[in-house]
Amino acid sequence: MRFMRKLDRCGLPFLLSLIMLVGVSGTVFAAEAPDLDMGRTGSISLTLADSGGSAVSGGEITLYEVAALDLDDGNMVYVQTDAFVGCTSNLDVTDTGLAAELAAYVEENSLSGTTASAGEDGKISFEGLELGLYLVVQTTESDNYETISPFVVTVPMEEDGVWVYAVDASPKVGAVTPIEPEAE
């Protein structure tokens, strides 16, 4: 019933998104859905570091829950949260433009998320997360470093046939780039 209400509000774009997602879910998640523990929560951790591997403190990261993970006849599907129902994204996590599209939607609609600051060790962690698709955006840059590009993370993630509920998103972040001083 919840699905039908959302479908009525969203119309054709949402229906097309779900159709695309169901088609993609088989390639995005290699493990079978019955192995999932839908009663668990997860976490997302990341470390801001420069190209030399040194921790970069300061700066703020904001996490947005884009969609909840659900099972539909044993198939994994994402159901957009109320805040993202109007987004025209197809939620294809393999799409390299997805994060930028979602970040633009967040900005256009002044959405709020959960914000945390990087400590001296450059680490940031978001705990107790429902299973789903998340958008990570650096909302305040670290001193003397450029802002990292937005990216998406799924909780859980499948690695080598095992579901990982404590997701380390650091490899997606990569090195933080120093800001070049302006020439005078």
Side-chain angles (χ1 to χ4, degrees):
M1 201 60 166
R2 184 177 94 187
F3 173 78
M4 292 307 291
R5 280 184 297 198
K6 285 188 177 189
L7 185 58
D8 288 341
R9 284 193 322 219
C10 300
L12 187 57
F14 183 72
L15 179 60
L16 292 175
S17 295
L18 278 178
I19 291 169
M20 293 282 298
L21 184 62
V22 170
V24 169
S25 65
T27 58
V28 173
F29 299 97
E32 293 187 10
D35 296 340
L36 279 175
D37 183 351
M38 294 297 289
R40 285 189 68 173
T41 58
S43 63
I44 296 174
S45 301
L46 59 118
T47 302
L48 300 180
D50 63 20
S51 58
S54 298
V56 175
S57 63
E60 292 182 333
I61 300 290
T62 302
L63 185 71
Y64 302 90
E65 184 182 12
V66 176
L69 181 63
D70 201 3
L71 292 178
D72 182 16
D73 291 329
N75 295 313
M76 295 173 41
V77 294
Y78 288 114
V79 178
Q80 291 171 312
T81 61
D82 289 342
F84 284 87
V85 165
C87 184
T88 60
S89 173
N90 64 14
L91 301 183
D92 177 356
V93 296
T94 63
D95 179 357
T96 57
L98 177 61
E101 181 180 350
L102 292 171
Y105 183 81
V106 163
E107 189 171 327
E108 290 167 8
N109 293 280
S110 302
L111 299 182
S112 60
T114 303
T115 301
S117 297
E120 290 297 318
D121 58 0
K123 294 184 184 293
I124 299 172
S125 185
F126 299 94
E127 307 287 331
L129 302 176
E130 297 297 321
L131 305 185
L133 176 67
Y134 291 86
L135 173 67
V136 178
V137 178
Q138 186 170 14
T139 47
T140 304
E141 64 191 26
S142 302
D143 288 340
N144 301 315
Y145 289 89
E146 293 181 8
T147 304
I148 60 172
S149 297
F151 60 97
V152 293
V153 178
T154 60
V155 176
M157 289 184 78
E158 186 273 330
E159 290 181 5
D160 299 323
V162 176
W163 291 109
V164 176
Y165 296 83
V167 177
D168 180 357
S170 296
K172 288 188 177 185
V173 177
V176 180
T177 307
I179 295 175
E180 296 294 325
E182 293 183 27
E184 294 191 24

